[in-house]
Amino acid sequence: MPLLSMHGISKRFGPALALQDVSLELEAGEVLGIVGENGAGKSTLIKVLGGAYQPDAGEIILDGEPVQIKSPHDGLSHGIAVIYQELSLVPELSVAENLFLGHLPSNPLGATKRGELNRRSQEIIDLLNLDVKPGDRVASLRIGVRQLIEVGKALSRTHRARILVMDEPTSSLNEAEVAQLFAVVRQLKADGIGIIYISHYLEEVFDICDRAMVMRDGKVVGVRPTNEWTPDQMVHAMVNRPIEDFYPKVHVELGEPLLEASHLQLQGKLEDVSFSVRSGEVLGLAGLPGSGTSKLGEIVAGARKPSAGSMTLRGQRYVPRSPGKSIAAGVGYVPADRKKEGLLLEFSVAENVTLSVLPALSRLGVVNMKQKQKTAVAAIQDFGVKTNSPKAPVRSLSGGNQQKVLLARVHQPDPKLMVMNDPTRGIDVGAKVEIYERIGEFVQAGGAVLLISSELPELIGISYRIAVFREGRLVAEVEREQFSQHLIISYAAGTDETYDETYSGDQNGEQVGESA
Amino acid sequence: MTLDEQSATLPKHRAFSGAVGETMRRGSVLIAFIALCIVFSLLSPRFLTVSNWLNVLLQTATIGIVAIGQTFVIITAGIDLSVGSVVALSGMVAAVSMRAGAPAPVGILVALGVGSLVGLFNGFSVTYLKMTPFIVTLATLAMGRGLTLAVSSGQTIFGFPDAFNFIGGESIAGIPVPVIILLLAFLAAYFILSRTVFGHGVYSVGGNREAARLAGIPTVRVELLVYVISGLLAGLAGIILMGRLDAALPTSATGLELNAIAAVVIGGASLFGGKGTMLGTLLGALTIGVLANGLNLLNVSPFWTQFIQGAVIFVAVLSDSLSQRTAE
């Protein structure tokens, strides 16, 4: 008898059918992966399971007994814990207080039992194998550790979780933290907890899940044990198109050097970095977190001043004093965190798309509103942004469409060079492919791209050359013919073998890259 | 839940409720204003007369002009608490210089210059010294008032050239000059905020400062300039106030900043930045003016007038926070 089964679940929001006759089963001690593009219905499904939504049809059976989960609180008392993508920790409180938030052990007068709190917290910390103390303030911890504490919260309940749902748990973790999270998942699995694992990263699904279920348009399109899937089949099932299109290859004759940087220096972050990128070229910048690639991107984009060194752009001296000056000089920048650094979330799509091109749409500082509107509508169409209206706030768009808005904005002033930092982070496969195609068109038209990415398969898939950074130094430039994950990792990590193990989860990703 | 997916499954619903919330909030100032006018005109026969309305507009001119400057600042998520002191200081410095023999045009330029300089100081502290707007302008509020008292030795200064009395007291085609200045300032500010590159910059700085900077908006220049505008308009208000009273009082315009901020907030601007309109601010200032005028006509005790004004501000902010909730 399975621990959990959901039968024929349907859920409708107005005219939109978010879930259509979805069924799944979960055994104790099993990890079930759910993948699908944004809007495929994954999150709606787990909200039904967690009690946040009531299904219109279908039933949920726990241990053979049909149950109704009326609220998230009800879900918890049934032993179903959902860890959402947005962390729900209180930064100002301690680890222990967060772990037991809402059910702190207390005496009849309401005072917290410190001793018991610390003892029980320590048990959970030990279980998670974390290097923190119960009294540490959460604000002082790295984001990856916080994600693990979020898992710990699910284990602290009196009704200890028997089903744990993780929604994109690794989107803000580095490789080492992912490894740590996976160790915890395996531990929980061994303890007989059933785990539902939602991720955009197929490599992770192959690494940690026993079975994988693919959803598309609110329906289940396939469930198989993980070892019976190939990455190709999985992507194909998700987007309904063949994998060959995943990393579109365009043949471009390389032109003149567009940007040349020599001896760039940034106190403690970058050490004597020189490189050049030619028109028509995608130069990948690879490196572990903290290797300096992001800082280098910021310098080229004018967002940060180097402490020494110089650059030329199309043969001219290029000293960007501000992002605005860089844009005027023909350098566009796609920052890594689209919500914090990229978009004005409360503002309309039209406002966002035209933000960087306002000087060109104006005379004597007065904006031509008609032309602005026209530009916005054209850009929205051109970049295939799915929105109800140009006036809709960007916040209401899906992640992939938000990223397209950002890309459209960067394109409007007609840049010659684009600095892109993780341009496909946390977006669905379909939108990823569209962004790769955009990059291809851009370099075909004579542009050049500096691509910073935490995903090696992506770097390998679309770069022409990869510059590898380690601790602020450019340690190697790898030509396309020599591309391999192993080689790049060994440069990035300084041929330390332990790093190869950390990266072992990428083996499947490599297949995706090479089959392209 | 991923926010992405939630919005993907519910785009229509969300966009709809957001749009309705926005329209309701924008309309709510207008509706409240009209409702207020109807109530007062029913209760007092003197309310709906031309002379009373000119009086309301005249009373609103100073606050309105200051609130226009404040709107720029608040949309960038800043605040300018110094405006009341700047009104007094710029008027007083002009008065002192004219008593020493400066002609009226110089006096006017001095007042505008003093206002702009204080604004520049505020803006510089906020942008280059990275100080919190609230604290910076709280400090300049105190410093400005102190300077006013020092410059005047605590005395009221009387007697200015005719040009000043013209600005403060005369009418053109039956409309008081301060009202004309208010309307001109409003039209200019409306145009600047909604049609210029700078105006777009003001909104985007308030929407997300870092994203705006990376998108090429000269955020430092924009922020510096909004404080200068606020100071400049406070200087303008100082000239009007002094012309109206035909005197420069060291204690004039005390607490004016609170009324100006209230006008902006009643007009629908958010103290978190990124939101607000000039039309809203004008309506907000008029609402405050009408309220004071109407309650006065009805012989309501000034104590209760103050209470009711406070309650109106509370309701305005409440409707803001409610609409915020529907948007999320």
Side-chain angles (χ1 to χ4, degrees):
Chain A
M1 181 173 62
L3 175 60
L4 164 77
S5 49
M6 297 175 82
H7 275 306
I9 303 284
S10 292
K11 178 73 187 169
R12 180 182 283 281
F13 294 108
L17 203 53
L19 290 177
Q20 205 177 334
D21 194 21
V22 171
S23 299
L24 67 78
E25 289 191 345
L26 180 69
E27 303 283 346
E30 182 190 40
V31 184
L32 171 69
I34 303 182
V35 298
E37 296 191 81
N38 284 332
K42 307 174 304 247
S43 291
T44 311
L45 181 64
I46 64 164
K47 276 187 208 160
V48 168
L49 176 59
Y53 290 158
Q54 297 307 309
D56 297 331
E59 59 177 354
I60 300 172
I61 298 165
L62 268 178
D63 294 325
E65 296 284 324
V67 289
Q68 261 203 335
I69 302 166
K70 297 186 195 78
S71 68
H73 188 260
D74 200 20
L76 285 173
S77 57
H78 280 104
I80 301 168
V82 181
I83 301 167
Y84 293 115
Q85 210 173 358
E86 283 81 32
L87 298 184
S88 58
L89 301 178
V90 184
E92 297 311 317
L93 295 183
S94 70
V95 169
E97 285 161 341
N98 267 290
L99 284 173
F100 288 89
L101 198 65
H103 53 108
L104 288 168
S106 56
N107 65 25
L109 289 176
T112 310
K113 291 184 188 164
R114 283 279 149 200
E116 188 185 340
L117 176 63
N118 284 340
R119 185 175 48 73
R120 287 174 60 189
S121 299
Q122 192 60 51
E123 284 172 17
I124 293 169
I125 291 168
D126 290 343
L127 179 72
L128 299 173
N129 200 14
L130 285 175
D131 185 22
V132 299
K133 294 190 189 64
D136 288 350
R137 264 178 72 232
V138 162
S140 68
L141 304 175
R142 281 175 304 127
I143 198 85
V145 179
R146 295 190 205 182
Q147 190 79 51
L148 289 166
I149 289 170
E150 195 76 36
V151 175
K153 255 176 96 171
L155 305 174
S156 74
R157 311 257 164 205
T158 342
H159 300 276
R160 207 183 129 127
R162 291 184 305 151
I163 297 170
L164 192 60
V165 183
M166 304 169 106
D167 189 0
E168 295 284 345
T170 60
S171 53
S172 45
L173 305 194
N174 67 28
E175 301 282 345
E177 289 163 344
V178 170
Q180 203 178 351
L181 177 74
F182 281 8
V184 171
V185 169
R186 292 195 176 98
Q187 172 75 46
L188 297 175
K189 180 172 135 79
D191 290 349
I193 292 177
I195 295 164
I196 294 179
Y197 188 92
I198 294 178
S199 182
H200 279 306
Y201 302 106
L202 299 191
E203 311 92 87
E204 292 178 4
V205 172
F206 279 99
D207 207 23
I208 196 76
C209 297
D210 302 302
R211 283 188 306 140
M213 172 170 126
V214 179
M215 293 185 71
R216 188 174 72 226
D217 301 332
K219 283 178 269 191
V220 177
V221 289
V223 196
R224 292 180 216 167
T226 316
N227 55 20
E228 292 175 22
W229 283 105
T230 67
D232 293 24
Q233 293 164 342
M234 203 180 270
V235 172
H236 190 256
M238 283 163 68
V239 300
N240 204 17
R241 72 162 121 184
I243 186 74
E244 281 76 37
D245 301 339
F246 198 65
Y247 292 117
K249 286 275 162 19
V250 284
H251 185 71
V252 180
E253 287 297 323
L254 297 190
E256 295 291 303
L258 196 69
L259 177 86
E260 288 179 284
S262 54
H263 310 294
L264 288 178
Q265 197 94 13
L266 184 69
Q267 221 71 63
K269 303 287 184 190
L270 286 174
E271 202 61 49
D272 195 23
V273 173
S274 301
F275 67 93
S276 80
V277 54
R278 297 160 69 179
S279 77
E281 187 177 33
V282 179
L283 174 63
L285 304 182
L288 299 171
S291 61
T293 50
S294 293
K295 296 278 187 291
L296 180 61
E298 289 173 14
I299 287 173
V300 174
R304 186 183 285 279
K305 289 185 186 71
S307 37
S310 64
M311 291 183 275
T312 63
L313 189 67
R314 285 186 284 185
Q316 306 279 313
R317 221 165 83 85
Y318 171 57
V319 189
R321 292 185 202 286
S322 71
K325 295 264 172 18
S326 297
I327 291 168
V331 177
Y333 180 44
V334 179
D337 189 335
R338 69 172 162 269
K339 288 183 181 172
K340 285 208 181 101
E341 305 170 323
L343 296 165
L344 307 173
L345 289 176
E346 307 298 339
F347 287 42
S348 72
V349 175
E351 292 292 346
N352 272 280
V353 161
T354 52
L355 193 60
S356 293
V357 76
L358 287 174
L361 297 175
S362 62
R363 269 181 72 184
L364 301 172
V366 178
V367 179
N368 182 332
M369 300 305 268
K370 262 191 198 152
Q371 214 183 328
K372 179 182 151 192
Q373 177 69 13
K374 255 192 220 163
T375 306
V377 171
I380 289 167
Q381 232 161 34
D382 194 16
F383 280 78
V385 178
K386 283 180 203 127
T387 174
N388 291 327
S389 146
K391 287 186 183 152
V394 165
R395 183 183 283 291
S396 70
L397 269 52
S398 71
N401 278 301
Q402 288 183 355
Q403 194 68 16
K404 285 188 215 165
V405 169
L406 181 55
L407 214 59
R409 188 199 86 203
V410 174
H411 263 87
Q412 292 315 302
D414 196 20
K416 295 289 166 281
L417 172 72
M418 273 203 295
V419 180
M420 308 176 99
N421 196 344
D422 252 346
T424 65
R425 178 194 282 186
I427 65 175
D428 61 75
V429 179
K432 271 188 184 185
V433 173
E434 284 180 59
I435 284 170
Y436 297 147
E437 285 169 354
R438 282 287 155 188
I439 294 175
E441 286 166 23
F442 180 72
V443 294
Q444 253 177 334
V449 172
L450 277 188
L451 177 69
I452 302 158
S453 177
S454 53
E455 284 184 58
L456 264 184
E458 175 174 288
L459 276 178
I460 289 175
I462 59 175
S463 302
Y464 284 68
R465 208 153 43 95
I466 294 179
V468 190
F469 286 74
R470 183 171 73 238
E471 290 165 7
R473 288 173 186 280
L474 203 175
V475 290
E477 289 194 28
V478 185
E479 298 293 329
R480 157 150 259 167
E481 300 76 51
Q482 287 130 36
F483 279 1
S484 84
Q485 296 215 14
H486 185 84
L487 182 67
I488 290 166
I489 290 160
S490 63
Y491 281 130
T495 63
D496 187 335
E497 289 195 351
T498 56
Y499 279 95
D500 286 347
E501 282 169 27
T502 316
Y503 265 102
S504 64
D506 281 336
Q507 290 312 314
N508 293 302
E510 188 165 40
Q511 289 169 18
V512 175
E514 285 176 351
S515 61
Chain B
M1 110 194 88
T2 79
L3 212 67
D4 295 348
E5 186 154 333
Q6 186 192 31
S7 53
T9 49
L10 296 167
K12 287 215 168 109
H13 171 70
R14 285 161 65 92
F16 181 70
S17 71
V20 168
E22 188 65 31
T23 321
M24 269 175 53
R25 202 163 61 88
R26 261 193 219 165
S28 68
V29 202
L30 187 61
I31 291 166
F33 177 70
I34 292 172
L36 212 54
C37 290
I38 291 174
V39 170
F40 284 136
S41 57
L42 290 177
L43 293 176
S44 166
R46 276 158 61 207
F47 181 76
L48 262 190
T49 57
V50 173
S51 67
N52 187 52
W53 268 91
L54 287 178
N55 186 29
V56 168
L57 286 168
L58 190 60
Q59 300 292 342
T60 307
T62 326
I63 291 177
I65 288 169
V66 172
I68 286 169
Q70 189 75 248
T71 307
F72 284 103
V73 177
I74 285 181
I75 292 175
T76 66
I79 197 150
D80 188 350
L81 297 174
S82 70
V83 284
S85 297
V86 174
V87 167
L89 177 66
S90 49
M92 187 57 77
V93 174
V96 169
S97 59
M98 286 186 294
R99 195 177 53 180
V106 174
I108 290 171
L109 285 179
V110 164
L112 298 179
V114 168
S116 308
L117 271 179
V118 178
L120 190 65
F121 180 83
N122 286 335
F124 179 81
S125 308
V126 168
T127 52
Y128 287 95
L129 305 181
K130 306 208 184 311
M131 295 167 74
T132 319
F134 188 95
I135 304 298
V136 168
T137 58
L138 188 63
T140 43
L141 178 151
M143 294 194 292
R145 186 62 66 182
L147 271 179
T148 312
L149 288 161
V151 166
S152 63
S153 311
Q155 304 291 312
T156 300
I157 297 178
F158 299 98
F160 307 120
D162 287 346
F164 261 80
N165 301 332
F166 173 77
I167 289 175
E170 298 294 318
S171 298
I172 297 175
I175 302 168
V177 175
V179 176
I180 295 172
I181 294 176
L182 169 67
L183 291 179
L184 290 178
F186 165 74
L187 288 176
Y190 178 87
F191 179 80
I192 290 171
L193 188 60
S194 60
R195 291 282 184 274
T196 65
V197 176
F198 167 72
H200 284 72
V202 170
Y203 280 108
S204 56
V205 165
N208 183 341
R209 181 175 280 96
E210 181 61 5
R213 185 180 82 94
L214 293 176
I217 303 291
T219 51
V220 169
R221 202 191 310 160
V222 166
E223 255 192 305
L224 197 66
L225 214 50
V226 293
Y227 287 95
V228 173
I229 291 175
S230 179
L232 176 76
L233 288 174
L236 182 61
I239 296 167
I240 292 173
L241 193 62
M242 167 181 163
R244 256 180 63 204
L245 304 173
D246 196 22
L249 279 68
T251 54
S252 73
T254 304
L256 180 77
E257 60 278 352
L258 298 182
N259 277 329
I261 292 166
V264 177
V265 171
I266 291 172
S270 163
L271 289 176
F272 296 108
K275 256 189 224 166
T277 62
M278 279 303 158
L279 195 59
T281 293
L282 186 67
L283 281 171
L286 284 173
T287 303
I288 292 177
V290 163
L291 202 58
N293 174 267
L295 294 173
N296 185 33
L297 288 179
L298 297 177
N299 289 321
V300 174
S301 126
F303 305 148
W304 283 108
T305 305
Q306 205 159 44
F307 175 85
I308 293 169
Q309 281 176 339
V312 167
I313 296 169
F314 180 84
V315 171
V317 178
L318 179 70
S319 84
D320 178 37
S321 97
L322 287 180
S323 83
Q324 201 89 284
R325 221 174 298 166
T326 32
E328 275 163 19

